[in-house]
Amino acid sequence: MLDLVNVSYDTLIPNNVGLSNDRRVLKALEKWHPGYINWWSDLIPDNFQKSLVYLRTAVSVDPKGWAKFDYVKMPEYRWGILLAPAVEGRTIPCGEHYGEPAWQEVPGEYRAMLRRLIVIQGDTEPASVEQQRFLGLTAPSLYDMRNLFQVNVEEGRHLWAMVYLLQKYFGADGREEADDLLRRSSGSEEAPRMLGAFNEETPDWLSFFMFTYFTDRDGKMQLEALAQSGFDPLSRTCRFMLTEEAHHMFVGETGVGRTIERTCQVMKENGIDDPYEIDRIRALGVIDLPTIQKKLNLHYTLSLDLFGQEVSTNAANAFNSGIKGRYMEHRLDDDHKLTDATYPVWDLDANGQLIRHEVPALTAINMRLRDDYTRDAAGGVGRWNKIIEKAGVQFEMKLPHEAFNRKIGVFANKLFDPDGKLLSGAEYDAGVKDWLPTHADGDFIQSLMKPVYEPGKFAGWIAPPKVGIDNKPGDFEYVKLYMA
Amino acid sequence: MSKIIDFQTDPSKYRHWRISLDGEIAHLYMDVDEKGGLFDGYELKLNSYDLGVDIELADAVQRLRFEHPAVKAVVLRSGKDNVFCAGANIRMLGRASHAHKVNFCKFTNETRNTFEAAGAESGQHYICAVKGSCAGGGYELALACDHIILTDDSTSAVALPEVPLLAVLPGTGGLTRVTDKRKVRRDLADVFCAMEEGVKGKRAKEWRLVDEVVANSKFDESVLARAKDFATKSKRPDGAEGVKLTPLKRQFAEDGSISYSTIEVALDRAGRKATITINGPDGDAPADMDAFHAQGAEAWMLRAARELDDAILHLRLNETELGVVVFRTQGDPQRVLAHEALLLANKDHWLANEVLLYWKRLLKRIDMTARSLVAVVEHGSCYAGVLAEILWAVDRSYMMEGEFEGDNRPLATLTLAGSNFGQYPMGNDLTRLQTRFLGEPEAVEALQGRIGDALEADEAKELGLVTFAFDDIDWEDELRIFLEERASFSPDALTGMEANLRFPGPETMETRIFGRLTAWQNWIFQRPNAVGEDGALQRYGSGKRGEYNMQRV
């Protein structure tokens, strides 16, 4: 009998899906494996590949004690295929097939749609590793470096998860798509990643923290929606991925929080009350709060674009067919079909005023998920403000209005300020340097990016964490660097 | 959708296209303005198009031929980053009346044919540079080009997703060009046309769906190199100066009648009839091609063609209840022949060639017009050479025989020219005379001996060149009774009957597109599975799938 909770290590690929009994898929995955290892090896700088990193590896999908921590070289990380346990008698949670038994095989009529969704999700996973490939070189501490690598290997494992679905359920087409996931590459001229936001390099650690807070949170929302899928293997895969994704949010939230904390602390130590005394603050080697706000503005708005058009046919189709649900679908109290429901979406009236107007809820699935995202993202911002308040600094971080700095959807390519006011070109040009990071801001942040590789030490622009990973003490050597 | 649709535009008014000229090569960028739909109620997202977008394309194609003769290769490409073209706008199609859908498809088909023919006929080759999604009507745009280049970025694909996604056909030549032009193996074509996601990369080349697949980083370079190859092969003249297509002189009267400089369109709404009068040239033919070029868009052969083209399109889209179109001509047949003869004698001159090709397309547009077409050959007519073709494009013709009381115009004649024997083939690749005399090819040969003779009614009838000839006792009544009767028949049955009888003889890709593909599409456009309240087209965008009646018919 298969042990579907504990991870089997009897094949090259750790799994809880009985891979050793599924010769066809095992063979396909083993064929794909070398390409993956090549991809990883070409990506991460060599001395990090050979370093021992204190990583957690999933050993079970039991919510209690699912992972164990140990030193491992990243290429030897056991990338596994792990699905959350099957829920007996699970039914399709939404759309026209609501209440029917969940699909255990791909329904032919939705093959193309399912495959597309899995490929798009799969494409983002390795993309972020590619975007972050050089950050190890400027890590502000071994603790942070370890967190970076943890995020990286888990994104890699998420790629595995999607590839497994493609190989197992989509035949020859799926195998080709799996190969193409390794062919495309972030920022590549030859074959770029599918979504624009995943083709930008992550240039510095503040960007990394913002990315993991805001952009990985888009990933979380997408996984939440896919975890509601009527296609059970996809649902189970995504449910387990969410367990890991929580750590990525944590890295982002505490990373930004520690940056803010350090800035406030240095301001106080030096008797600076006005957060806008930017030159003085910067001279002390910390990142001023207005610049952090600008980074927030940028990453939040880029992430909003990832939700697509407010009114979307594809999203409606995916919901109605039961392929992709809403955030927390099982907790929502409605017919789960949205037969006659409406939902308010943003629009511009004839005078350029922002309004929300009702459209069929089925077509507004993206807008709804984005609203859920905004609520979810607001939590951490509140906690950052607590840090500022506690330090006694007069400043408040804010999520900008959704209309600001958008490239996709109803606000695309129109000029708004962060409060959502429609601006003329001249007004926008005058204000934008205060709303979005300038090249000079980037240069300044870059100037702080000096690696700190000594255990227990942190770069001057960031505070140490309250608690270590796996409750390790402050001077724990999270990465045993390989020194050639 | 009731609003006058105007087919006249110019690049200063374009909202959806840009032309950028680079010597022998032109880049034609499709960059559709989402908010620029011809009607309210839909947005032209992802470079999807409606009739308004296609009117601009048709204009651009025409201007490239006439205004930019030095252009030897046209690169058709997207002005947007991630999409080539998503095809016809589905919300527009879902809302449009049946008549609008049919007219839209016909016009877009004619436009595709126009740039498809540009390479072989006048050495202006269209090359399609595909980057991003190229689906449905988007791929049909590509199919009409001489050469398709697809980038190999592992995302860009070509697709015909109409059947699985929308329950309709790729009806702008898609199905036909896949098999007849690109000669995709028919089982692979079945696979291709039944998948939503399309085919990308090397497989697209292996399946013959595109001509080449190139590395993304070398895309622009490869496209330019290929454009240059085609330019080198072209027989277009170097550095020739174009002819400006100036705005038409056109006036609408209150009752909807239209006056152009050479064409009059009179409307009889009660009789459901439009009468188009073509006035022959009022001056002598230009002395030579230099003189013709100097006249430019004012030259009668070009001016009359543009005006007649506009009139036909206007009637098709804006006057759908006028079931009968009557053609008349008035003027000096010798002058018509002289104006045409200058071009025939200078066929190797690019401009002469273009104007003759324009008439070829225009006459096909008449063939393809779904109205009862009648020609009347009155006294004073100038059915000669190119204008005589109209007599054999229409469903039937009536000619005045003998003197009419009180009518002092020259006696009705018609005159054949050499051009009637090959210059203006129909879609079936036969001349109108060959098509007319399908059962007696010798009759066509015999007619060659009558070139240049002014044939009066008895002879014209004897030779089978007109349907009826009546003297002034019968003329008026016969014509009236016929027109009244015709106007009373079911327009659907008439359209079907006429479309079948007009195109006897062999099939070509063109007749298969306008016949087989279009007829099936128009059938599907009437079926509840596509257009019913719960059909796929109506439901598109709502998230709900179409509900199908699963009975095979």
Side-chain angles (χ1 to χ4, degrees), chain A residues 96 109-112 115 176-177 180 183-184 189-191 313 316-317 320 362-363, chain B residues 45 91 152-155 196-197 200 203 215-217 540-545:
Chain A
E96 62 174 279
E109 56 191 323
Y110 302 130
R111 179 190 59 94
R115 202 185 75 176
E176 258 170 52
E177 292 289 0
D180 276 352
R183 235 195 97 202
R184 283 187 292 272
E189 209 187 331
E190 212 58 78
T313 300
N317 290 342
N320 193 53
L362 209 44
T363 65
Chain B
K45 289 183 178 168
R91 283 167 198 262
D152 191 15
D153 62 359
S154 91
T155 309
E196 275 175 48
E197 64 271 32
K200 60 191 176 185
R203 180 177 296 161
N216 197 42
S217 58
Y540 182 79
S542 74
K544 295 190 195 119
R545 285 186 305 165

mmCIF file of all heavy atoms in Angstrom, chain A residues 96 109-112 115 176-177 180 183-184 189-191 313 316-317 320 362-363, chain B residues 45 91 152-155 196-197 200 203 215-217 540-545:
data_model
loop_
_atom_site.group_PDB
_atom_site.id
_atom_site.type_symbol
_atom_site.label_atom_id
_atom_site.label_comp_id
_atom_site.label_asym_id
_atom_site.label_seq_id
_atom_site.Cartn_x
_atom_site.Cartn_y
_atom_site.Cartn_z
ATOM 1 N N GLU A 96 -20.189 25.437 -13.439
ATOM 2 C CA GLU A 96 -21.348 24.687 -13.922
ATOM 3 C C GLU A 96 -21.334 23.221 -13.486
ATOM 4 O O GLU A 96 -22.353 22.555 -13.555
ATOM 5 C CB GLU A 96 -21.482 24.797 -15.448
ATOM 6 C CG GLU A 96 -20.330 24.230 -16.232
ATOM 7 C CD GLU A 96 -20.608 24.252 -17.745
ATOM 8 O OE1 GLU A 96 -21.308 23.357 -18.242
ATOM 9 O OE2 GLU A 96 -20.111 25.165 -18.409
ATOM 10 N N GLU A 109 -12.640 18.114 -22.504
ATOM 11 C CA GLU A 109 -13.138 19.401 -22.999
ATOM 12 C C GLU A 109 -12.372 20.586 -22.401
ATOM 13 O O GLU A 109 -12.418 21.681 -22.939
ATOM 14 C CB GLU A 109 -14.632 19.527 -22.697
ATOM 15 C CG GLU A 109 -14.940 19.349 -21.222
ATOM 16 C CD GLU A 109 -16.430 19.209 -20.942
ATOM 17 O OE1 GLU A 109 -17.220 19.878 -21.602
ATOM 18 O OE2 GLU A 109 -16.779 18.413 -20.043
ATOM 19 N N TYR A 110 -11.680 20.365 -21.287
ATOM 20 C CA TYR A 110 -10.947 21.478 -20.670
ATOM 21 C C TYR A 110 -9.442 21.299 -20.746
ATOM 22 O O TYR A 110 -8.683 22.000 -20.083
ATOM 23 C CB TYR A 110 -11.364 21.645 -19.205
ATOM 24 C CG TYR A 110 -12.837 21.885 -19.031
ATOM 25 C CD1 TYR A 110 -13.591 21.142 -18.122
ATOM 26 C CD2 TYR A 110 -13.486 22.858 -19.791
ATOM 27 C CE1 TYR A 110 -14.948 21.361 -17.981
ATOM 28 C CE2 TYR A 110 -14.845 23.081 -19.654
ATOM 29 C CZ TYR A 110 -15.573 22.333 -18.751
ATOM 30 O OH TYR A 110 -16.915 22.554 -18.613
ATOM 31 N N ARG A 111 -9.021 20.344 -21.564
ATOM 32 C CA ARG A 111 -7.595 20.029 -21.652
ATOM 33 C C ARG A 111 -6.751 21.265 -21.954
ATOM 34 O O ARG A 111 -5.793 21.574 -21.245
ATOM 35 C CB ARG A 111 -7.388 18.977 -22.753
ATOM 36 C CG ARG A 111 -5.971 18.552 -22.980
ATOM 37 C CD ARG A 111 -5.878 17.710 -24.251
ATOM 38 N NE ARG A 111 -6.348 18.470 -25.411
ATOM 39 C CZ ARG A 111 -5.538 19.157 -26.215
ATOM 40 N NH1 ARG A 111 -4.257 19.143 -26.018
ATOM 41 N NH2 ARG A 111 -6.019 19.842 -27.231
ATOM 42 N N ALA A 112 -7.163 22.019 -22.983
ATOM 43 C CA ALA A 112 -6.338 23.153 -23.413
ATOM 44 C C ALA A 112 -6.266 24.219 -22.319
ATOM 45 O O ALA A 112 -5.207 24.774 -22.046
ATOM 46 C CB ALA A 112 -6.900 23.739 -24.703
ATOM 47 N N ARG A 115 -4.140 23.042 -19.326
ATOM 48 C CA ARG A 115 -2.726 23.015 -19.671
ATOM 49 C C ARG A 115 -2.165 24.427 -19.681
ATOM 50 O O ARG A 115 -1.078 24.681 -19.180
ATOM 51 C CB ARG A 115 -2.554 22.352 -21.043
ATOM 52 C CG ARG A 115 -1.178 21.804 -21.260
ATOM 53 C CD ARG A 115 -1.035 21.276 -22.660
ATOM 54 N NE ARG A 115 -0.913 22.382 -23.585
ATOM 55 C CZ ARG A 115 -0.706 22.218 -24.883
ATOM 56 N NH1 ARG A 115 -0.641 21.015 -25.397
ATOM 57 N NH2 ARG A 115 -0.581 23.252 -25.677
ATOM 58 N N GLU A 176 6.303 18.233 -24.007
ATOM 59 C CA GLU A 176 6.895 19.357 -24.742
ATOM 60 C C GLU A 176 6.837 20.648 -23.938
ATOM 61 O O GLU A 176 7.794 21.413 -23.889
ATOM 62 C CB GLU A 176 6.122 19.571 -26.039
ATOM 63 C CG GLU A 176 6.820 19.016 -27.238
ATOM 64 C CD GLU A 176 5.888 19.037 -28.434
ATOM 65 O OE1 GLU A 176 5.310 20.095 -28.728
ATOM 66 O OE2 GLU A 176 5.735 17.963 -29.046
ATOM 67 N N GLU A 177 5.696 20.867 -23.311
ATOM 68 C CA GLU A 177 5.560 22.079 -22.501
ATOM 69 C C GLU A 177 6.557 22.054 -21.345
ATOM 70 O O GLU A 177 7.120 23.087 -20.978
ATOM 71 C CB GLU A 177 4.137 22.223 -21.962
ATOM 72 C CG GLU A 177 3.077 22.501 -23.026
ATOM 73 C CD GLU A 177 3.174 23.907 -23.612
ATOM 74 O OE1 GLU A 177 4.069 24.679 -23.203
ATOM 75 O OE2 GLU A 177 2.349 24.233 -24.481
ATOM 76 N N ASP A 180 9.778 23.140 -22.606
ATOM 77 C CA ASP A 180 9.784 24.580 -22.893
ATOM 78 C C ASP A 180 9.908 25.416 -21.620
ATOM 79 O O ASP A 180 10.395 26.543 -21.654
ATOM 80 C CB ASP A 180 8.515 24.983 -23.655
ATOM 81 C CG ASP A 180 8.663 24.743 -25.154
ATOM 82 O OD1 ASP A 180 9.802 24.424 -25.573
ATOM 83 O OD2 ASP A 180 7.679 24.877 -25.891
ATOM 84 N N ARG A 183 13.310 25.945 -21.419
ATOM 85 C CA ARG A 183 13.861 26.681 -22.556
ATOM 86 C C ARG A 183 13.697 28.176 -22.377
ATOM 87 O O ARG A 183 14.576 28.964 -22.681
ATOM 88 C CB ARG A 183 13.127 26.246 -23.826
ATOM 89 C CG ARG A 183 14.035 25.755 -24.920
ATOM 90 C CD ARG A 183 13.265 25.702 -26.221
ATOM 91 N NE ARG A 183 13.532 26.900 -26.985
ATOM 92 C CZ ARG A 183 12.736 27.355 -27.929
ATOM 93 N NH1 ARG A 183 11.623 26.745 -28.237
ATOM 94 N NH2 ARG A 183 13.057 28.446 -28.587
ATOM 95 N N ARG A 184 12.519 28.566 -21.913
ATOM 96 C CA ARG A 184 12.312 29.999 -21.669
ATOM 97 C C ARG A 184 13.166 30.421 -20.488
ATOM 98 O O ARG A 184 13.504 29.619 -19.623
ATOM 99 C CB ARG A 184 10.836 30.276 -21.368
ATOM 100 C CG ARG A 184 9.951 30.275 -22.584
ATOM 101 C CD ARG A 184 8.547 30.715 -22.250
ATOM 102 N NE ARG A 184 7.857 29.752 -21.428
ATOM 103 C CZ ARG A 184 7.162 28.723 -21.896
ATOM 104 N NH1 ARG A 184 7.052 28.533 -23.190
ATOM 105 N NH2 ARG A 184 6.565 27.877 -21.072
ATOM 106 N N GLU A 189 16.391 37.168 -24.557
ATOM 107 C CA GLU A 189 15.967 37.736 -25.818
ATOM 108 C C GLU A 189 15.381 36.612 -26.669
ATOM 109 O O GLU A 189 14.485 36.818 -27.471
ATOM 110 C CB GLU A 189 17.205 38.305 -26.497
ATOM 111 C CG GLU A 189 16.920 39.463 -27.401
ATOM 112 C CD GLU A 189 18.171 39.844 -28.163
ATOM 113 O OE1 GLU A 189 19.287 39.629 -27.640
ATOM 114 O OE2 GLU A 189 18.033 40.322 -29.275
ATOM 115 N N GLU A 190 15.922 35.422 -26.477
ATOM 116 C CA GLU A 190 15.554 34.271 -27.309
ATOM 117 C C GLU A 190 14.160 33.765 -26.979
ATOM 118 O O GLU A 190 13.330 33.581 -27.857
ATOM 119 C CB GLU A 190 16.582 33.157 -27.060
ATOM 120 C CG GLU A 190 16.846 32.277 -28.232
ATOM 121 C CD GLU A 190 17.331 33.068 -29.427
ATOM 122 O OE1 GLU A 190 18.506 33.457 -29.477
ATOM 123 O OE2 GLU A 190 16.501 33.294 -30.299
ATOM 124 N N ALA A 191 13.934 33.518 -25.711
ATOM 125 C CA ALA A 191 12.649 32.965 -25.282
ATOM 126 C C ALA A 191 12.353 33.465 -23.877
ATOM 127 O O ALA A 191 12.665 32.815 -22.890
ATOM 128 C CB ALA A 191 12.692 31.438 -25.320
ATOM 129 N N THR A 313 -12.549 37.202 -20.024
ATOM 130 C CA THR A 313 -13.212 36.010 -20.546
ATOM 131 C C THR A 313 -12.520 34.734 -20.072
ATOM 132 O O THR A 313 -13.169 33.773 -19.672
ATOM 133 C CB THR A 313 -13.163 36.042 -22.082
ATOM 134 O OG1 THR A 313 -13.831 37.213 -22.508
ATOM 135 C CG2 THR A 313 -13.858 34.837 -22.668
ATOM 136 N N ALA A 316 -13.334 34.007 -16.546
ATOM 137 C CA ALA A 316 -14.725 33.547 -16.441
ATOM 138 C C ALA A 316 -14.831 32.084 -16.872
ATOM 139 O O ALA A 316 -15.475 31.270 -16.203
ATOM 140 C CB ALA A 316 -15.628 34.430 -17.301
ATOM 141 N N ASN A 317 -14.185 31.770 -17.985
ATOM 142 C CA ASN A 317 -14.219 30.387 -18.479
ATOM 143 C C ASN A 317 -13.630 29.433 -17.458
ATOM 144 O O ASN A 317 -14.163 28.354 -17.212
ATOM 145 C CB ASN A 317 -13.438 30.261 -19.782
ATOM 146 C CG ASN A 317 -14.136 30.954 -20.941
ATOM 147 O OD1 ASN A 317 -15.327 31.236 -20.877
ATOM 148 N ND2 ASN A 317 -13.388 31.235 -22.004
ATOM 149 N N ASN A 320 -16.057 29.062 -14.491
ATOM 150 C CA ASN A 320 -17.293 28.365 -14.818
ATOM 151 C C ASN A 320 -17.069 26.892 -15.124
ATOM 152 O O ASN A 320 -17.911 26.052 -14.867
ATOM 153 C CB ASN A 320 -17.985 29.043 -16.002
ATOM 154 C CG ASN A 320 -19.401 28.551 -16.167
ATOM 155 O OD1 ASN A 320 -20.188 28.566 -15.225
ATOM 156 N ND2 ASN A 320 -19.715 28.053 -17.345
ATOM 157 N N LEU A 362 -19.166 36.597 -12.873
ATOM 158 C CA LEU A 362 -18.381 35.577 -13.542
ATOM 159 C C LEU A 362 -17.226 36.187 -14.336
ATOM 160 O O LEU A 362 -16.137 35.631 -14.403
ATOM 161 C CB LEU A 362 -19.324 34.808 -14.493
ATOM 162 C CG LEU A 362 -19.053 33.355 -14.826
ATOM 163 C CD1 LEU A 362 -18.682 32.564 -13.594
ATOM 164 C CD2 LEU A 362 -20.288 32.760 -15.488
ATOM 165 N N THR A 363 -17.480 37.355 -14.918
ATOM 166 C CA THR A 363 -16.436 37.968 -15.735
ATOM 167 C C THR A 363 -15.464 38.776 -14.878
ATOM 168 O O THR A 363 -14.452 39.245 -15.386
ATOM 169 C CB THR A 363 -17.041 38.906 -16.795
ATOM 170 O OG1 THR A 363 -17.678 39.993 -16.133
ATOM 171 C CG2 THR A 363 -18.048 38.180 -17.666
ATOM 172 N N LYS B 45 -9.728 44.539 -28.086
ATOM 173 C CA LYS B 45 -8.556 44.128 -27.324
ATOM 174 C C LYS B 45 -7.675 43.196 -28.145
ATOM 175 O O LYS B 45 -8.146 42.507 -29.041
ATOM 176 C CB LYS B 45 -9.012 43.431 -26.045
ATOM 177 C CG LYS B 45 -9.618 44.414 -25.056
ATOM 178 C CD LYS B 45 -10.011 43.742 -23.768
ATOM 179 C CE LYS B 45 -10.573 44.795 -22.816
ATOM 180 N NZ LYS B 45 -11.228 44.183 -21.677
ATOM 181 N N ARG B 91 -16.951 39.814 -29.545
ATOM 182 C CA ARG B 91 -18.118 40.521 -29.013
ATOM 183 C C ARG B 91 -18.834 41.276 -30.123
ATOM 184 O O ARG B 91 -20.055 41.371 -30.155
ATOM 185 C CB ARG B 91 -17.716 41.474 -27.897
ATOM 186 C CG ARG B 91 -17.455 40.718 -26.598
ATOM 187 C CD ARG B 91 -16.768 41.594 -25.575
ATOM 188 N NE ARG B 91 -16.160 40.762 -24.555
ATOM 189 C CZ ARG B 91 -16.719 40.501 -23.369
ATOM 190 N NH1 ARG B 91 -17.882 41.024 -23.059
ATOM 191 N NH2 ARG B 91 -16.113 39.729 -22.506
ATOM 192 N N ASP B 152 10.608 31.854 -32.760
ATOM 193 C CA ASP B 152 10.702 30.618 -31.972
ATOM 194 C C ASP B 152 10.995 30.974 -30.519
ATOM 195 O O ASP B 152 12.043 30.639 -29.989
ATOM 196 C CB ASP B 152 11.812 29.744 -32.564
ATOM 197 C CG ASP B 152 11.788 28.342 -31.978
ATOM 198 O OD1 ASP B 152 10.780 27.976 -31.355
ATOM 199 O OD2 ASP B 152 12.788 27.620 -32.143
ATOM 200 N N ASP B 153 10.061 31.675 -29.874
ATOM 201 C CA ASP B 153 10.315 32.086 -28.489
ATOM 202 C C ASP B 153 9.644 31.148 -27.501
ATOM 203 O O ASP B 153 9.511 31.464 -26.326
ATOM 204 C CB ASP B 153 9.837 33.530 -28.261
ATOM 205 C CG ASP B 153 8.347 33.660 -28.467
ATOM 206 O OD1 ASP B 153 7.706 32.651 -28.799
ATOM 207 O OD2 ASP B 153 7.825 34.777 -28.309
ATOM 208 N N SER B 154 9.176 30.018 -27.992
ATOM 209 C CA SER B 154 8.508 28.977 -27.213
ATOM 210 C C SER B 154 7.154 29.428 -26.672
ATOM 211 O O SER B 154 6.553 28.719 -25.884
ATOM 212 C CB SER B 154 9.392 28.433 -26.083
ATOM 213 O OG SER B 154 9.204 29.147 -24.899
ATOM 214 N N THR B 155 6.677 30.577 -27.107
ATOM 215 C CA THR B 155 5.346 31.025 -26.700
ATOM 216 C C THR B 155 4.476 31.364 -27.913
ATOM 217 O O THR B 155 3.308 31.001 -27.974
ATOM 218 C CB THR B 155 5.438 32.278 -25.804
ATOM 219 O OG1 THR B 155 6.373 32.012 -24.763
ATOM 220 C CG2 THR B 155 4.097 32.609 -25.192
ATOM 221 N N GLU B 196 -7.368 24.641 -29.526
ATOM 222 C CA GLU B 196 -7.406 26.046 -29.148
ATOM 223 C C GLU B 196 -6.029 26.695 -29.187
ATOM 224 O O GLU B 196 -5.881 27.849 -29.539
ATOM 225 C CB GLU B 196 -7.889 26.172 -27.696
ATOM 226 C CG GLU B 196 -9.370 26.197 -27.520
ATOM 227 C CD GLU B 196 -9.732 26.200 -26.048
ATOM 228 O OE1 GLU B 196 -9.142 26.998 -25.299
ATOM 229 O OE2 GLU B 196 -10.603 25.409 -25.646
ATOM 230 N N GLU B 197 -5.032 25.919 -28.748
ATOM 231 C CA GLU B 197 -3.760 26.550 -28.422
ATOM 232 C C GLU B 197 -2.836 26.743 -29.612
ATOM 233 O O GLU B 197 -1.859 27.458 -29.523
ATOM 234 C CB GLU B 197 -3.056 25.750 -27.323
ATOM 235 C CG GLU B 197 -2.672 24.331 -27.721
ATOM 236 C CD GLU B 197 -3.783 23.304 -27.451
ATOM 237 O OE1 GLU B 197 -4.966 23.670 -27.544
ATOM 238 O OE2 GLU B 197 -3.462 22.145 -27.174
ATOM 239 N N LYS B 200 3.288 25.906 -32.353
ATOM 240 C CA LYS B 200 4.384 26.856 -32.287
ATOM 241 C C LYS B 200 5.671 26.214 -32.777
ATOM 242 O O LYS B 200 5.740 25.004 -32.989
ATOM 243 C CB LYS B 200 4.538 27.362 -30.850
ATOM 244 C CG LYS B 200 4.828 26.277 -29.839
ATOM 245 C CD LYS B 200 4.713 26.807 -28.406
ATOM 246 C CE LYS B 200 4.927 25.662 -27.434
ATOM 247 N NZ LYS B 200 4.719 26.021 -26.046
ATOM 248 N N ARG B 203 7.414 22.748 -35.143
ATOM 249 C CA ARG B 203 6.298 21.964 -35.649
ATOM 250 C C ARG B 203 5.443 22.781 -36.630
ATOM 251 O O ARG B 203 4.910 22.245 -37.596
ATOM 252 C CB ARG B 203 5.437 21.457 -34.494
ATOM 253 C CG ARG B 203 4.275 20.633 -34.989
ATOM 254 C CD ARG B 203 3.450 20.068 -33.858
ATOM 255 N NE ARG B 203 4.215 19.144 -33.058
ATOM 256 C CZ ARG B 203 3.868 18.794 -31.823
ATOM 257 N NH1 ARG B 203 2.785 19.322 -31.280
ATOM 258 N NH2 ARG B 203 4.600 17.942 -31.137
ATOM 259 N N ALA B 215 15.014 32.197 -34.737
ATOM 260 C CA ALA B 215 15.347 32.501 -33.344
ATOM 261 C C ALA B 215 14.828 33.889 -32.998
ATOM 262 O O ALA B 215 14.917 34.818 -33.796
ATOM 263 C CB ALA B 215 16.859 32.442 -33.150
ATOM 264 N N ASN B 216 14.301 34.011 -31.803
ATOM 265 C CA ASN B 216 13.703 35.272 -31.388
ATOM 266 C C ASN B 216 14.704 36.429 -31.444
ATOM 267 O O ASN B 216 14.367 37.537 -31.851
ATOM 268 C CB ASN B 216 13.145 35.110 -29.974
ATOM 269 C CG ASN B 216 12.167 36.204 -29.626
ATOM 270 O OD1 ASN B 216 11.330 36.575 -30.454
ATOM 271 N ND2 ASN B 216 12.270 36.729 -28.427
ATOM 272 N N SER B 217 15.944 36.135 -31.058
ATOM 273 C CA SER B 217 16.938 37.212 -31.030
ATOM 274 C C SER B 217 17.307 37.662 -32.439
ATOM 275 O O SER B 217 17.849 38.736 -32.631
ATOM 276 C CB SER B 217 18.184 36.747 -30.288
ATOM 277 O OG SER B 217 18.694 35.596 -30.929
ATOM 278 N N TYR B 540 -19.814 33.939 -25.534
ATOM 279 C CA TYR B 540 -18.383 34.192 -25.427
ATOM 280 C C TYR B 540 -18.133 35.396 -24.517
ATOM 281 O O TYR B 540 -18.781 36.434 -24.662
ATOM 282 C CB TYR B 540 -17.759 34.451 -26.800
ATOM 283 C CG TYR B 540 -16.278 34.661 -26.699
ATOM 284 C CD1 TYR B 540 -15.423 33.569 -26.566
ATOM 285 C CD2 TYR B 540 -15.727 35.930 -26.669
ATOM 286 C CE1 TYR B 540 -14.067 33.754 -26.419
ATOM 287 C CE2 TYR B 540 -14.365 36.119 -26.529
ATOM 288 C CZ TYR B 540 -13.546 35.022 -26.407
ATOM 289 O OH TYR B 540 -12.191 35.202 -26.252
ATOM 290 N N GLY B 541 -17.223 35.243 -23.594
ATOM 291 C CA GLY B 541 -16.907 36.351 -22.698
ATOM 292 C C GLY B 541 -17.700 36.304 -21.412
ATOM 293 O O GLY B 541 -17.347 36.953 -20.443
ATOM 294 N N SER B 542 -18.779 35.521 -21.403
ATOM 295 C CA SER B 542 -19.589 35.467 -20.182
ATOM 296 C C SER B 542 -19.027 34.448 -19.217
ATOM 297 O O SER B 542 -19.403 34.422 -18.053
ATOM 298 C CB SER B 542 -21.023 35.073 -20.537
ATOM 299 O OG SER B 542 -21.074 33.695 -20.857
ATOM 300 N N GLY B 543 -18.139 33.588 -19.707
ATOM 301 C CA GLY B 543 -17.632 32.518 -18.861
ATOM 302 C C GLY B 543 -18.436 31.241 -19.031
ATOM 303 O O GLY B 543 -17.976 30.167 -18.692
ATOM 304 N N LYS B 544 -19.659 31.378 -19.548
ATOM 305 C CA LYS B 544 -20.466 30.168 -19.758
ATOM 306 C C LYS B 544 -20.198 29.610 -21.145
ATOM 307 O O LYS B 544 -20.072 30.363 -22.101
ATOM 308 C CB LYS B 544 -21.945 30.503 -19.618
ATOM 309 C CG LYS B 544 -22.306 30.938 -18.216
ATOM 310 C CD LYS B 544 -23.828 31.035 -18.066
ATOM 311 C CE LYS B 544 -24.186 31.816 -16.823
ATOM 312 N NZ LYS B 544 -24.940 33.023 -17.088
ATOM 313 N N ARG B 545 -20.158 28.307 -21.220
ATOM 314 C CA ARG B 545 -19.921 27.680 -22.516
ATOM 315 C C ARG B 545 -21.197 27.683 -23.338
ATOM 316 O O ARG B 545 -22.296 27.748 -22.797
ATOM 317 C CB ARG B 545 -19.482 26.229 -22.317
ATOM 318 C CG ARG B 545 -18.069 26.107 -21.840
ATOM 319 C CD ARG B 545 -17.677 24.657 -21.802
ATOM 320 N NE ARG B 545 -18.619 23.894 -20.979
ATOM 321 C CZ ARG B 545 -18.704 22.567 -20.989
ATOM 322 N NH1 ARG B 545 -17.933 21.876 -21.791
ATOM 323 N NH2 ARG B 545 -19.551 21.939 -20.203
#
